[in-house]
């Protein structure tokens, strides 16, 4: 094996170990809060050394900061994988479904993203306004992708031009996030019921925000024309 191959294999092992540590830590945080994090117990849980945790994250604060970033990075990856239609309203719908898909696939990370009880590390604060994780949402790529779709909808006339894109994006984010939170909490009787309610919720919030032109487009999509 060449030196380069050995280096690549070592990097792959370090990446896999880092991901395993983050996955385990996200579960520990969700179920027990920051006090539940013991670097020694975390290392033992994934078969690593405590030194490996310190090497990867520098300590507990670095680990929590990495968890927040990992959550938003995974959401952004899901958003980028969503089909980007030429019609921005359809793209926006794909992003909403990608958000729900991320939440269902990554429930522990999802729970950490906008937690009111976990303190956001100083490294993740973006100015004085971002005192909580929720206030830092707009600084992440996942939000920017959704905002781009909203701006495209404004530009082509489906959303009103006299409303700030951040106001529109915030309303859409709140609706989708609220549904996903209820779904993960077991509010719906079945996955089928949850999906039906998700579709109804997203359509309802859109109808409340769309211009007459946007409503006409939405009706045409519903008819499949």
């Amino acid at each position: 094996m060449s030196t380069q191959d050995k280096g690549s294999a070592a990097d792959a092992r370090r990446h896999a170990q880092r991901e395993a540590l983050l996955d385990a830590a996200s579960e520990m945080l969700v179920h027990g809060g920051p006090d539940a994090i013991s670097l020694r117990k975390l290392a033992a849980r994934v078969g690593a050394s405590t030194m490996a945790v310190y090497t990867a994250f520098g300590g507990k604060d670095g680990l929590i900061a990495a968890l927040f970033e990992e959550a938003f990075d995974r959401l952004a990856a899901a958003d980028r994988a969503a089909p980007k239609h030429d019609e921005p309203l359809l793209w926006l719908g794909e992003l909403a479904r990608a958000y729900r898909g991320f939440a269902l696939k990554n429930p522990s990370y999802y729970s950490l993203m906008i937690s009111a009880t976990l303190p956001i590390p100083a490294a993740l604060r973006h100015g004085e306004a971002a005192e909580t994780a929720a206030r830092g949402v707009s600084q992440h790529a996942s939000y920017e992708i959704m905002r781009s779709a909203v701006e495209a909808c404004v530009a082509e006339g489906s959303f009103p031009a006299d409303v700030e894109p951040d106001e529109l994006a915030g309303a859409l984010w709140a609706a989708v996030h609220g549904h996903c939170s209820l779904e993960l909490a077991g509010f719906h009787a079945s996955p089928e019921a949850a999906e039906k309610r998700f579709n109804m919720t997203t359509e309802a919030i859109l109808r409340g925000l769309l211009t007459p032109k946007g409503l006409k487009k939405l009706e045409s999509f519903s008819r499949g024309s």
Side-chain angles (χ1 to χ4, degrees), residues 197-218:
R197 186 69 58 83
F198 174 79
N199 292 333
M200 184 183 75
T201 300
T202 52
E203 182 172 341
I205 188 68
L206 277 176
R207 286 186 179 279
L209 298 174
L210 291 171
T211 62
K213 178 181 179 180
L215 285 169
K216 188 175 180 179
K217 282 191 174 188
L218 185 62

Side-chain angles (χ1 to χ4, degrees), residues 135-158:
R135 293 182 187 177
V137 165
S138 62
Q139 305 295 325
H140 290 273
S142 51
Y143 181 89
E144 289 299 321
I145 292 169
M146 184 190 66
R147 192 180 190 281
S148 295
V150 168
E151 289 175 333
C153 288
V154 172
E156 57 84 34
S158 288

Side-chain angles (χ1 to χ4, degrees), residues 153-172:
C153 288
V154 172
E156 57 84 34
S158 288
F159 281 157
D162 60 346
V163 180
E164 288 292 324
D166 279 324
E167 294 294 328
L168 297 166
L172 292 167

Side-chain angles (χ1 to χ4, degrees), residues 100 179 183 188 190-203:
R100 177 171 176 251
H179 169 89
E183 184 172 357
H188 303 94
S190 67
E192 293 76 20
E195 184 169 5
K196 181 179 179 181
R197 186 69 58 83
F198 174 79
N199 292 333
M200 184 183 75
T201 300
T202 52
E203 182 172 341

Side-chain angles (χ1 to χ4, degrees), residues 5 52 141:
D5 289 339

Side-chain angles (χ1 to χ4, degrees), residues 18 22 65-80 102 109 113 140-142 145:
R18 184 178 189 276
L22 287 172
L67 282 168
F68 278 107
E69 292 293 358
E70 180 71 12
F72 281 103
D73 285 349
R74 291 190 183 196
L75 175 56
D79 286 342
R80 294 188 183 102
F102 160 79
Y109 285 104
M113 282 171 50
H140 290 273
S142 51
I145 292 169

Side-chain angles (χ1 to χ4, degrees), residues 76-93:
D79 286 342
R80 294 188 183 102
K84 186 176 180 180
H85 296 275
D86 292 334
E87 171 52 64
L89 269 182
L90 292 177
W91 181 26
L92 200 56

